[in-house]
Amino acid sequence: MSNSFPQKRIALFGSTGSVGTQALEVIASNPDKFTAEVLTAFSNDELLIKQALQFRPNIVVIGDDKKYQKVKAALAATDVKVFAGEQALEEVAAMDCYDMMVAAIVGFAGLRPTLKALESGKAVGLANKETLVVAGDIVMQKAVEHRAPVIPVDSEHSAIFQCLVGETRNRIEKIVLTASGGPFLGKKPNYLVNVKRDHALQHPNWNMGAKITIDSATLMNKGLEMIEAKWLFNLRPEQINVLVHPQSIIHSMVQFEDGSIKAQMGLPDMKLPIQYAMAFPSRIPNDFPRYDFRKPSQLTFEEPDTKTFRNLILATDALFKGGNLPCVLNAANEIAVYAFLRNRISFLDMTDLIEKTMEAIPFIEHPTLDEYFESDAEARNFAASAIKL
């Protein structure tokens, strides 16, 4: 059997985060199918060292220069090559020592290494939504030019991707992205005024990193996913719908021109879409728990409450206007979440801050890559000074 699946060399960009650690669990469970060839972390040197000693990659990169000596010393007895700094991330992404990048660096920081991987014709398993939100047109253009497959790792986009296998010639009428609604589903603004970070970090269905957990609580996550879906599946904004589905069993749906709907279902476990992306086009067996239809559980659906969760309106606005607006939305949101996690602004302040930033930064209809980087920096500076970070 093992011959039919040649071993895939995985470069894990963001190996110490939520997706990275789960991807390593998948690799550890399938050592005949995958090797971890590259591991990168921004600042979690302790875990990076531990991972490197277990998986013996070819290369590790620690983003924070100051931690280089410590990582180097800890791995001195191994054959692992150690690099440091942001530039090193790009250089390693362009190397020929791996087959597929799993892009799991959180936020805007994931954009440059992902572009480098695509320029090198590498397959990318994309777990970083911000990359497509910020510069989706340029990223997908690169993928097409260099014939580099982009396989989504996000559970919603993985669901749509799976529904589209074998449907390449059939036109999509619309897609439905399902949202759990997060921990504050059904709550009104007078409740949300007092929400603290620890409460917002408790997600009912998914185990995720801090940034995406807060985005789920504010529904910004779904907004970013709408923009991401536009680029991944080449859709018009009006074809993208959001529906709240609190049980998180249906991960998303596609409706075709004949009115037929395909949905992808399963228990909420990020290891599933991670494994699917890494093994694509094969499915590989696992012993994850299975969803049981016989359990008395109802699947329910409702419209999102956009009056309370206005982030969804801001993101929809960015989706329809396009240009550099999604980039500005994302930058302001990254600053807002950062500030909220440090108790500098309140839960509802996040939306106000994003809205103010979107109004303040000049609109560019067809930005170059440099203009995306400039818009990102301007939006961050504006948002940060608005809260006196």
Side-chain angles (χ1 to χ4, degrees):
M1 257 312 276
S2 62
N3 303 353
S4 67
F5 194 110
Q7 213 177 28
K8 229 184 243 183
R9 299 168 303 166
I10 306 290
L12 252 178
F13 277 64
S15 67
T16 57
S18 175
V19 168
T21 50
Q22 293 178 84
L24 283 172
E25 287 174 42
V26 172
I27 292 172
S29 307
N30 298 280
D32 56 324
K33 299 187 175 72
F34 306 111
T35 60
E37 211 59 34
V38 175
L39 300 177
T40 87
F42 176 61
S43 60
N44 191 343
D45 50 349
E46 308 266 328
L47 183 53
L48 183 65
I49 290 165
K50 214 173 121 187
Q51 292 176 342
L53 291 171
Q54 182 185 345
F55 288 91
R56 295 297 167 108
N58 182 350
I59 293 171
V60 304
V61 183
I62 180 83
D64 182 350
D65 288 325
K66 294 190 284 298
K67 303 194 168 176
Y68 172 70
Q69 288 306 338
K70 184 179 167 189
V71 177
K72 184 108 177 96
L75 299 177
T78 70
D79 294 334
V80 181
K81 305 189 220 13
V82 181
F83 300 105
E86 271 181 50
Q87 194 53 45
L89 284 176
E90 289 186 61
E91 286 163 13
V92 171
M95 287 180 188
D96 215 16
C97 60
Y98 70 96
D99 304 309
M100 177 182 207
M101 171 189 280
V102 173
I105 294 175
V106 176
F108 179 82
L111 175 59
R112 282 184 194 266
T114 304
L115 282 171
K116 275 284 179 283
L118 293 172
E119 283 166 11
S120 310
K122 302 289 188 195
V124 171
L126 192 63
N128 165 309
K129 352 178 167 280
E130 293 90 349
T131 289
L132 285 182
V133 171
V134 169
D137 51 347
I138 291 176
V139 175
M140 294 314 284
Q141 185 58 45
K142 283 259 189 287
V144 170
E145 269 170 39
H146 299 278
R147 294 204 172 85
V150 175
I151 302 164
V153 171
D154 234 350
S155 65
E156 296 79 358
H157 299 98
S158 175
I160 291 162
F161 187 85
Q162 292 181 53
C163 291
L164 292 177
V165 169
E167 297 280 4
T168 40
R169 289 201 162 71
N170 296 320
R171 299 236 309 260
I172 297 170
E173 194 165 283
K174 67 172 187 175
I175 63 163
V176 177
L177 296 170
T178 52
S180 68
F184 308 129
L185 179 61
K187 299 286 189 250
K188 292 292 176 233
N190 57 3
Y191 172 91
L192 296 173
V193 168
N194 302 312
V195 159
K196 291 285 174 278
R197 93 186 258 284
D198 294 342
H199 192 176
L201 283 170
Q202 288 160 12
H203 196 280
N205 303 341
W206 294 95
N207 169 27
M208 307 174 289
K211 158 81 164 60
I212 189 171
T213 305
I214 301 301
D215 283 347
S216 295
T218 65
L219 286 198
M220 178 55 88
N221 188 41
K222 226 31 66 175
L224 298 176
E225 285 173 9
M226 290 170 78
I227 299 166
E228 190 185 2
K230 173 191 158 169
W231 297 116
L232 274 172
F233 307 112
N234 198 11
L235 299 167
R236 297 186 311 281
E238 57 274 12
Q239 292 177 289
I240 304 165
N241 302 260
V242 168
L243 200 55
V244 172
H245 166 52
Q247 300 82 14
S248 297
I249 298 297
I250 289 180
H251 300 307
S252 278
M253 302 178 258
V254 178
Q255 181 173 311
F256 295 95
E257 287 189 312
D258 59 356
S260 175
I261 298 168
K262 275 190 180 181
Q264 188 265 333
M265 307 171 70
L267 289 172
D269 178 354
M270 272 310 292
K271 286 211 288 290
L272 260 174
I274 291 168
Q275 176 182 295
Y276 182 81
M278 282 177 16
F280 183 80
S282 312
R283 288 184 184 271
I284 50 183
N286 60 42
D287 53 8
F288 304 162
R290 300 322 202 216
Y291 176 62
D292 183 2
F293 276 99
R294 292 190 234 26
K295 292 266 164 68
S297 139
Q298 273 188 315
L299 302 183
T300 60
F301 307 92
E302 56 190 90
E303 283 295 323
D305 173 6
T306 49
K307 277 201 178 66
T308 303
F309 298 96
R310 283 177 38 244
N311 274 355
L312 209 47
I313 299 279
L314 297 180
T316 303
D317 211 28
L319 169 72
F320 275 84
K321 289 202 180 116
N324 66 337
L325 202 55
C327 171
V328 170
L329 166 95
N330 176 69
N333 180 58
E334 284 192 36
I335 296 289
V337 171
Y338 177 91
F340 174 72
L341 284 170
R342 279 154 192 78
N343 300 314
R344 301 295 290 275
I345 61 175
S346 76
F347 189 81
L348 293 175
D349 287 340
M350 286 191 279
T351 302
D352 295 335
L353 181 66
I354 295 161
E355 187 169 37
K356 269 199 217 120
T357 310
M358 287 170 75
E359 284 163 6
I361 306 301
F363 180 70
I364 306 170
E365 193 152 2
H366 298 291
T368 62
L369 190 57
D370 284 338
E371 285 172 327
Y372 279 127
F373 283 110
E374 284 157 21
S375 297
D376 174 84
E378 280 177 53
R380 275 168 208 274
N381 291 338
F382 179 88
S385 57
I387 40 185
K388 310 280 183 287
L389 268 181

